[in-house]
Amino acid sequence: MSKEKIKALRGMNDILPSDSPKWQKLERTITSLMALYGFENIRTPIMEETKLFARGIGDVTDIVEKEMYSFSMKPNPTIDDMMTLRPEFTAGIVRAVIEHNLVYDRPQKLFSFGPVFRHERPQKGRYRQFHQLSVEALGFTGPDIDAELIALLNRLWQTLGLTDIRLELNSLGNIQERLAHRQVLIEYLEKYKDSLDEDGLRRMYTNPLRVLDTKNPTMQDMANAAPKLFDFLGTESRQHYDELCERLDQIGIPYTLNTRLVRGLDYYNLTVFEWVTDKLGAQGTVCGGGRYDGLVEMLGGKPTPAVGFGLGIERLLELMELNESSEKTVTCDIYVIHQGKQASLKAFEIGELCRSHGYHTQVHAGSTGFKSQFKRADNSGATLALILGDNEIETGTIGIKALRNSELNQQNIPQSELINQLKRML
Ligand code: ATP
Ligand code: MG
C-alpha cells in the first residue's frame, strides 16, 4: 500500500484549533445580531439539483458558466440527473421557502451560515470552499427593508471595530428599463468591439451589462464611458433608490453611487450594493447583495419581492485580523496537575466538580513529572493550577497556584473548601 501523504483538496482549508476561536467569536456575534433584527435561521442541504442554480443564478454568469462543482451518480446523465454543491445560498433558500410554503401568510426574514463551493483559481481571499453568511428578506417591497439590511451590516462592522470598509450602491431598475438600456449598450459595445476581451465578446449579446463589470484594465475606459443603466431609470425606480438613500442619510451611513456595479448574479433588480475595502488587495469585496423581486416566481413560487446579501466570512476574518492586536482568547480557567495513583483518581473527580460549577477545566492526561505538567498548565492559558500529590491525598488538601499572577504564592487548602476558594479567585 502506498504511504503517500493525503492532503486536503486545493483551495479547501482546514480550520485548525488555533483559528477556531476567532470563527466561533464571529459566529456568536452574527447570531446575536440576527436576533437583534429578528432574522430566523434556516439550514438547507449543501447539494441541490443543478437546474436550481442554472435557473436561479443565470446561465451566463461566472458561477454557472465555470465555477460550479456538478456531478451525477448516473451513467450518461442528462441535465435532470445533475447535482451541484451550492455556490451560494439564495437559490436554495428560495427553493425551500417555495417548497414549504413559508411566505404563504407572512413575510420571512431568514439567515443561513455555512460553506459554499466554487471552482475558481485559489489565491488570497479566493478559495474553492469558503463560507458565507446569507441574509434574505422575502415578502417585503422595500426600500425600508433594503435600508435595514445595510444598517445591520453597518452595525456588524461597528461591533467588530472595522472602519476601512465602504458602501457602494447602484440601482438596476426594472426589466423594461434594463431592456431599453440593453439595446443602447449593445450598440455601444459593437462600436468598441476591438477593445473587448474574450469574455466581453461572449457576453456582448447574452449579458451585456456584465461586460461592464470587467476587471480587465484595458477595458476600463470603454466601461466607464458606456451608457449607464442608472440614467434609464424611470420615476418609480428612481424613487426607490432615493428613499433608500434618504434612510441611510437619516442614520448617517455614508455611501457612493457606483453606476458600474452590476453584481455577478443575474437575478437582481433595483437596489444592488457592495461593501468594499482597499485593505485586501484585489479580493476587496467583503459583502454583496441586492433586490431580487423576480426570483421566487422564476423558481416556481408566487410573485414575492425579496432582498438579501452574501457576506464572505474568510475575507471578513482577514480584514479583522489586520485590525486586531492578536490577543489570545483564554479558553481554560483551571489546569489540574497530579502525581500518583490516588491523586490521579482524585484529579479526575475534582475536574468533574469544577466543570459542574462552569469552570473550563483541563485535567492533565498521562503521568509525567510535576515540572513538565506545570509547563503544560502554563501553555494551556489557564488562570489557576490545582495540584494533587501523595501529600495532598494524605491530608485531604489541594494546592492552588495562580499562573498569571506571580505575587500570589501557592497555597494549600482543604479539598472541601475548593469551590468557595475558586469563586474568590476566578
Ligand atoms: P468576486 O467578484 O470577488 O468573485 P462574487 O461577486 O463572485 O465576488 P458573491 O457571489 O457576491 O461574490 O459572494 C458574496 C461574497 O462571498 C463576496 O463578496 C466575497 O466576500 C465572498 N466570495 C466570493 N467568492 C469567494 C471565494 N472564491 N473565496 C472566498 N470568498 C469569496
Ligand atoms: Mg466570483
Side-chain angles (χ1 to χ4, degrees):
M1 210 168 66
S2 156
K3 292 277 174 56
E4 184 197 346
K5 270 192 200 148
I6 297 175
K7 291 188 176 163
L9 292 168
R10 210 160 94 82
M12 304 205 175
N13 301 314
D14 297 310
I15 299 163
L16 300 175
S18 53
D19 276 334
S20 269
K22 65 184 190 200
W23 279 79
Q24 290 171 317
K25 193 170 155 200
L26 180 58
E27 285 167 22
R28 281 195 298 272
T29 306
I30 286 171
T31 306
S32 56
L33 184 70
M34 289 302 123
L36 199 61
Y37 282 82
F39 283 80
E40 295 177 298
N41 187 222
I42 182 166
R43 304 179 192 204
T44 59
I46 284 176
M47 220 161 33
E48 300 269 1
E49 284 199 57
T50 301
K51 279 185 295 188
L52 173 68
F53 301 113
R55 217 188 319 160
I57 298 172
D59 283 328
V60 207
T61 55
D62 277 347
I63 296 179
V64 174
E65 272 182 341
K66 50 189 182 199
E67 296 173 0
M68 295 207 304
Y69 282 91
S70 300
F71 58 94
S72 175
M73 301 301 284
K74 294 198 180 148
N76 312 316
T78 68
I79 176 74
D80 290 336
D81 302 319
M82 301 296 293
M83 303 175 274
T84 294
L85 293 178
R86 67 180 175 211
E88 55 104 49
F89 278 94
T90 309
I93 293 176
V94 168
R95 196 254 326 125
V97 162
I98 297 169
E99 190 169 332
H100 305 285
N101 222 355
L102 294 190
V103 281
Y104 174 66
D105 57 356
R106 67 177 178 106
Q108 295 282 327
K109 291 166 80 174
L110 305 171
F111 78 97
S112 208
F113 181 101
V116 295
F117 304 84
R118 296 187 194 176
H119 192 263
E120 303 193 70
R121 194 172 68 77
Q123 54 195 291
K124 185 176 175 301
R126 201 174 281 292
Y127 312 102
R128 289 179 170 175
Q129 173 175 330
F130 63 99
H131 295 72
Q132 280 190 350
L133 165 68
S134 189
V135 175
E136 319 288 342
L138 297 116
F140 304 90
T141 51
D144 46 358
I145 194 82
D146 309 19
E148 187 174 292
L149 289 186
I150 291 172
L152 175 160
L153 284 161
N154 191 61
R155 187 182 297 274
L156 178 61
W157 318 141
Q158 277 174 358
T159 310
L160 301 174
L162 299 180
T163 48
D164 301 311
I165 186 160
R166 58 171 198 281
L167 174 62
E168 296 194 347
L169 283 183
N170 193 14
S171 174
L172 300 183
N174 64 29
I175 186 78
Q176 288 80 25
E177 290 151 6
R178 277 200 299 284
L179 281 176
H181 169 256
R182 186 189 156 98
Q183 203 98 51
V184 180
L185 179 60
I186 291 179
E187 280 164 26
Y188 174 86
L189 294 173
E190 281 173 339
K191 250 194 338 208
Y192 289 90
K193 221 172 180 159
D194 291 345
S195 57
L196 299 186
D197 60 12
E198 200 185 317
D199 274 343
L201 286 171
R202 198 162 37 86
R203 293 202 171 119
M204 190 166 119
Y205 297 105
T206 51
N207 197 348
L209 205 53
R210 286 279 286 143
V211 180
L212 303 185
D213 193 36
T214 178
K215 292 189 176 112
N216 186 339
T218 64
M219 286 167 65
Q220 296 307 310
D221 289 345
M222 179 282 301
N224 281 327
K228 297 173 174 48
L229 174 51
F230 197 82
D231 295 333
F232 284 72
L233 298 185
T235 327
E236 266 182 40
S237 295
R238 188 54 207 257
Q239 195 182 341
H240 192 108
Y241 177 79
D242 289 341
E243 286 181 11
L244 167 60
C245 293
E246 196 182 1
R247 284 184 167 77
L248 299 181
D249 292 337
Q250 183 79 11
I251 56 167
I253 298 179
Y255 52 87
T256 50
L257 169 64
N258 172 0
T259 55
R260 271 183 57 188
L261 182 65
V262 303
R263 310 270 310 116
L265 302 89
D266 258 4
Y267 48 58
Y268 290 107
N269 66 300
L270 291 172
T271 310
V272 286
F273 62 87
E274 283 189 351
W275 288 89
V276 287
T277 176
D278 299 323
K279 299 272 156 137
L280 296 178
Q283 274 65 55
T285 306
V286 175
C287 175
R291 188 153 271 288
Y292 52 94
D293 293 333
L295 185 64
V296 179
E297 195 180 7
M298 199 157 78
L299 293 177
K302 66 165 194 185
T304 307
V307 59
F309 66 77
L311 187 161
I313 299 297
E314 280 79 358
R315 290 187 196 174
L316 178 59
L317 285 168
E318 270 171 43
L319 189 60
M320 285 165 64
E321 238 157 69
L322 292 177
N323 222 40
E324 255 168 25
S325 58
S326 55
E327 58 173 80
K328 200 168 181 294
T329 28
V330 177
T331 51
C332 182
D333 301 317
I334 297 168
Y335 196 99
V336 188
I337 286 168
H338 54 88
Q339 202 162 44
K341 199 155 184 262
Q342 285 305 310
S344 162
L345 199 60
K346 196 72 189 172
F348 180 69
E349 178 196 327
I350 284 188
E352 285 303 302
L353 177 73
C354 293
R355 289 168 185 142
S356 295
H357 283 81
Y359 298 117
H360 296 189
T361 305
Q362 293 213 47
V363 179
H364 185 81
S367 53
T368 47
F370 270 138
K371 200 168 159 219
S372 80
Q373 290 194 46
F374 265 113
K375 220 170 175 178
R376 283 280 190 90
D378 219 29
N379 290 338
S380 74
T383 314
L384 297 178
L386 299 183
I387 303 121
L388 289 161
D390 292 340
N391 196 23
E392 282 76 18
I393 294 302
E394 243 166 64
T395 53
T397 60
I398 184 162
I400 302 186
K401 184 167 168 44
L403 296 170
R404 314 285 147 206
N405 184 345
S406 53
E407 281 168 22
L408 292 178
N409 288 329
Q410 181 173 330
Q411 48 174 322
N412 267 48
I413 59 164
Q415 285 164 15
S416 56
E417 271 303 300
L418 177 64
I419 293 302
N420 283 334
Q421 183 64 11
L422 290 180
K423 281 182 188 154
R424 282 190 286 271
M425 292 182 79
L426 285 172

